[in-house]
Amino acid sequence: MELSVVVPCYNEDESVEELHRRVTAACKDSGVKTYEIVLVNDGSSDGTLAKMKAMVEADPHLVIVDLSRNHGHQLALTAGLAHAQGDHILIMDADLQDPPELLPDMLARAHDGIDVVYGERVKREGETWFKLVMAKLFYKTLSYMSDVEIPENVGDFRLISRRVLDELLAMPERQRFIRGMIAWVGFKQEAFPYERKARFAGTTKYPFWKLVHFAFDAISSFSIRPLRIAIPFAFSAAVLAGGLGIYAILAYFLGGTASGWASLATIITFFSALQLICIGLIGEYIGRTYIQVKGRPLFIVRKVFRGSEAG
Ligand code: UDP
Ligand code: MG
């Protein structure tokens, strides 16, 4: 198998047929003789699976991986990748924000020996300014926090080689930030600039809180720096407390009165808050360690439909 295209789908019944049509055209254009399109149904509650089943009857290139329930974007993608058999693997979203028509050019780069050809968004259509600002902020924080170079303005849209995929699948972690993990794998990686389109249909499956959670997964899986945040706080608190002590002694000798309960209460509250934040951060990591240690399977497949068997 020369090429696999892997697409996680969650409630995408408005896009999935158009997706199939355009990806098929792109695969044919790219000149590969053997290809497969792996669509993952991530526990959709709309007609996505029904449409997929109808398509798989008529197309031997289709593989449908139907998950037992909604597992979330990154795990759904992992499930699809685990079923991909191609020498090169294209990862994209179901909403056609990433144009499949770029496949022939990306594949040409891959044939020149590039292991990871990652789409770099030079323009993003149809996204709110709020999301763009959040994305910017997120990538700045991430690059400050982590030791791996994770490129900015890059999503999961990319073409990867078999050896990169094998390394990726060998990583057992649950909190998966796949674009970061691929950056971490290394080998030859290259940016491929493109314009990100607006969604073909439907609405984003990433509401605000899911995005925040995703951002923290990303940061915590690449950095333990937030855990150390308590150290500078503790240091500044010590300096401040020393200053206050000196002030109290001077005030005593100069006959001034010590500050009242209000300032004391403020200080206590302030530092309690800091402590709680730090405990909370530690809790986040312990929680993630706990989840990881349980070592549950990353996803559960209900059934795999293969076009070649059905058709
Ligand atoms: N997705 C998924 N499971 C989820 C949420 C999203 O498989 O729980 C898929 C979704 O169908 C799409 C991709 O992940 O193909 C990216 O989601 P979306 O386009 O909503 O994200 P955005 O582009 O708004 O960041
Ligand atoms: Mg999208």
Side-chain angles (χ1 to χ4, degrees), residues 8 10 12 42 70 73 94-95 97 131 196 199 204-205:
Y10 176 53
E12 301 281 6
D42 187 15
N70 179 257
H73 179 199
D95 56 10
Q97 283 191 280
K131 184 155 182 185
R196 188 159 159 97
R199 245 178 181 279
T204 176
K205 308 298 182 280

Side-chain angles (χ1 to χ4, degrees), residues 55-72:
M55 294 185 314
V56 85
E57 298 285 328
D59 183 0
H61 299 285
L62 262 186
V63 178
I64 309 293
V65 179
D66 183 27
L67 298 185
S68 61
R69 58 169 172 82
N70 179 257
H71 283 69

Side-chain angles (χ1 to χ4, degrees), residues 138 141-142 145 214-224 226 285:
F138 164 64
T141 317
L142 186 62
M145 294 278 185
F214 182 57
F216 200 79
D217 273 351
I219 291 171
S220 65
S221 49
F222 281 91
S223 166
I224 57 160
Y285 280 86

Side-chain angles (χ1 to χ4, degrees), residues 120-251:
E120 185 183 36
R121 304 157 180 176
V122 288
K123 201 170 138 201
R124 296 172 85 164
E125 281 175 17
E127 307 231 52
T128 56
W129 63 268
F130 180 70
K131 184 155 182 185
L132 296 183
V133 170
M134 292 298 289
K136 184 98 197 148
L137 204 71
F138 164 64
Y139 279 105
K140 286 278 168 272
T141 317
L142 186 62
S143 76
Y144 168 73
M145 294 278 185
S146 72
D147 308 323
V148 209
E149 200 56 48
I150 298 170
E152 204 178 318
N153 281 324
V154 169
D156 286 321
F157 181 47
R158 59 191 60 215
L159 184 69
I160 63 176
S161 65
R162 170 51 53 182
R163 63 172 173 177
V164 169
L165 179 60
D166 288 343
E167 295 301 336
L168 180 69
L169 292 175
M171 294 185 212
E173 64 211 73
R174 280 199 72 80
Q175 254 79 38
R176 296 177 94 77
F177 179 56
I178 291 177
R179 62 198 77 162
M181 291 161 73
I182 292 178
W184 184 88
V185 168
F187 297 125
K188 278 192 187 160
Q189 311 212 356
E190 188 183 271
F192 186 93
Y194 77 108
E195 288 184 12
R196 188 159 159 97
K197 301 277 184 273
R199 245 178 181 279
F200 173 71
T203 49
T204 176
K205 308 298 182 280
Y206 267 106
F208 179 70
W209 283 110
K210 234 169 155 182
L211 265 184
V212 171
H213 199 85
F214 182 57
F216 200 79
D217 273 351
I219 291 171
S220 65
S221 49
F222 281 91
S223 166
I224 57 160
R225 206 171 268 191
L227 277 178
R228 303 195 190 115
I229 208 167
I231 296 167
F233 279 151
F235 189 72
S236 334
V239 172
L240 197 72
L244 279 175
I246 294 170
Y247 168 74
I249 294 167
L250 284 180

